[in-house]
Amino acid sequence: MANPVLPSSGVLSPLGLDAVRLSPGFWGDRVALNREVTIAHCQEWEEREGWIGNFRGERPRRGREFSDSEIYKLLEAMAWADHPGLPALAETVAQAQEGDGYINTRWSGSRYTDFEWGHELYCYGHLIQAGVARLRMHGEDRLTQVAVRAADHVCRRFMEGTETCGHPVIEMALVELYRATGAERYLEMAKRFVERRGLPALAEIHFGRGYFQDDVPVRQAQVFRGHAVRALYLASGVVDVAVETGDQELLKAVEAQWERTIARRTHLTGGMGSRHIDESFGDDYELPPDRAYNETCASIASIMLAHRLLLATGDARYADLAERTLYNMLATGVALDGRTFFYANPLQVRVPAVPLEGVNHAAEGGLRSPWFDVSCCPNNIARTLASLPAYMATTAADGLQIHHFTPSEIRSGGLAVRVETGYPWDGAVTVRVLEDGDGRIKLRVPAWASDARLAHGGTVREVTPGYAVADGPWRAGDELRLELPMPPRWTFPNSKIDALRGCAAVERGPLVYCAESVGDEPPLAELAVRVQPPAEHAANGVVELEVEAALGDSDGDGWPYSPARNDRMDASDVRLRLIPYHRWGNRGPATMRVWLPI
């Protein structure tokens, strides 16, 4: 089955790219743009920067120590997209593999001398994931052979001992290769890597061992901490190991860590990672809007983890978080033209960024860039969008579950349906049965949805968050219609989030909204909103909002503090325009804020 995650057990079973076909719509358009534009864009930049040339032996070697992994992510994207450029690129990569399966353009000749920062096992992980994608989409070929040889080398070299990698990903890659091939050694190797974490297995560094999640064993951890991408990749691999070994205690440990992280360390957009200095989670309730890091790769890792937990448990709350992160982080990470990208995703930008034509040498900046010195995010976006249909729906013994709504055709066992919707702009979702069949159909009702209704068989009934259920048998032409009212709503932060006290945000359906100011538009530095029902209007198929606000524009002089309270501002009343957060930054340099002072 063409699927990036294919567990052997769990409450739900995923449907792959061969069972879910996206039609034009919010996600179908982005998946098509990814195949037609973004994948080629990534390959062009990797050639230009010399990262692909490294595999040809071109000297001097160029790129960071982990740049090999970007070519592997690109290969995975090509595999899921059935891209014609894959065979040639895979052959280039194969030229660099050594006789015992080792492959790394940076460390060949000085192998395994830096487990903290070397990223050798991390690079293998992405190579193996690309190989699994190719195996499931196409069958065995040059790329799959390279990946299997590399995985066998890892097992021979690391099965004994206590070594592991400073950057997880090898764990979930090996489990998926086990699922694809049935070779037990890959699962055993992944299990041992998980068990070594926190012994500790790595050296102390200036950020502390928590940066590597190496401060305590996985089973004893209470919350996700340290480098956000590392933490979420590790948790995904731990879920995979737990599911395949039947280790319920291990699975429950990750569920508990996820719950605390969602409650205390997650931004409104679903973004994770509050600190720029080490790209890490902050402390509980440390969620500043202007200094939010929220790396795009961390959001993708969060989606991967939520999807795995959904498959293992069937709990709709995991799909709820995945939806929030898909619409407000993944969709934000790439521009509407598919050629520029955000690395960090703050919730407030105070000063418009300076446009860049070439490589962005920093991860920061309030403007999307065509490329970065560390370009994990563009390639991660490419592989995620290429495999996105596999996240939409699942199957179980009693029928079909649709978790994410986008125009599509879905086939599972004896059921074939077409999903028609204008989601996320419109909350009406019609599921039309294409062929006679039987089984239960479940449609997720998001946690934000109130007064939702399901029409079926001539009746209309209210449904609550979780899943709306309808039973067959079905005849071709039967319809289910789910109505999810989408009035704009004000959202207020927990008072423990001190950086957000006195502020509110606006959401509509699954979308978070923001104020954006470009050029001569009113500045957002001095702003206060009135918590009144927002007005909405459609513009070019996009729902925008307006709220009542007061805007000031006084620079102020001298010492900015006073012994007397001085929070009044010289302001004028305005109608403040709000746009979906994922669309900000597409009109050029801008200031922006999600959380609005009241």
Side-chain angles (χ1 to χ4, degrees), residues 257-286:
Q257 294 162 25
W258 183 90
E259 288 172 359
R260 178 165 173 172
T261 302
I262 298 309
R264 305 183 184 196
R265 300 187 176 192
T266 302
H267 289 268
L268 182 64
T269 55
M272 295 186 183
S274 295
R275 296 179 179 174
H276 286 236
I277 189 170
D278 53 355
E279 301 181 318
S280 74
F281 288 97
D283 295 327
D284 288 353
Y285 305 109
E286 183 185 338

Side-chain angles (χ1 to χ4, degrees), residues 287-425:
L287 296 167
D290 50 347
R291 293 301 294 164
Y293 194 67
N294 287 349
E295 184 180 339
T296 298
C297 283
S299 70
I300 289 170
S302 175
I303 293 165
M304 292 178 177
L305 174 59
H307 183 62
R308 284 166 165 79
L309 290 169
L310 172 67
L311 297 177
T313 68
D315 194 326
R317 61 185 174 156
Y318 299 119
D320 283 340
L321 182 75
E323 176 182 77
R324 178 175 293 276
T325 313
L326 283 166
Y327 282 103
N328 300 298
M329 289 296 297
L330 179 62
T332 308
V334 57
L336 297 176
D337 66 0
R339 297 181 184 275
T340 57
F341 312 88
F342 277 138
Y343 193 111
N345 295 272
L347 279 72
Q348 180 177 353
V349 173
R350 298 176 182 275
V351 179
V354 177
L356 289 172
E357 295 296 329
V359 176
N360 187 341
H361 298 293
E364 310 197 22
L367 201 62
R368 294 177 183 87
S369 301
W371 206 245
F372 302 88
D373 278 342
V374 178
S375 274
C376 47
C377 297
N379 296 287
N380 227 346
I381 290 170
R383 69 175 183 141
T384 304
L385 286 173
S387 61
L388 192 64
Y391 290 80
M392 298 291 119
T394 60
T395 188
D398 62 348
L400 172 69
Q401 305 82 40
I402 301 176
H403 307 285
H404 303 293
F405 305 123
T406 195
S408 56
E409 285 195 9
I410 303 171
R411 294 180 180 272
S412 170
L415 284 172
V417 302
R418 177 181 295 118
V419 179
E420 299 170 355
T421 182
Y423 204 85
W425 315 114

Side-chain angles (χ1 to χ4, degrees), residues 154-182:
V154 169
C155 291
R156 289 193 302 270
R157 171 63 178 77
F158 293 100
M159 192 65 76
E160 304 302 327
T162 61
E163 297 157 322
T164 191
C165 186
H167 199 311
V169 87
I170 186 69
E171 298 85 356
M172 58 175 158
L174 286 169
V175 175
E176 215 58 52
L177 186 59
Y178 157 73
R179 291 166 172 167
T181 65

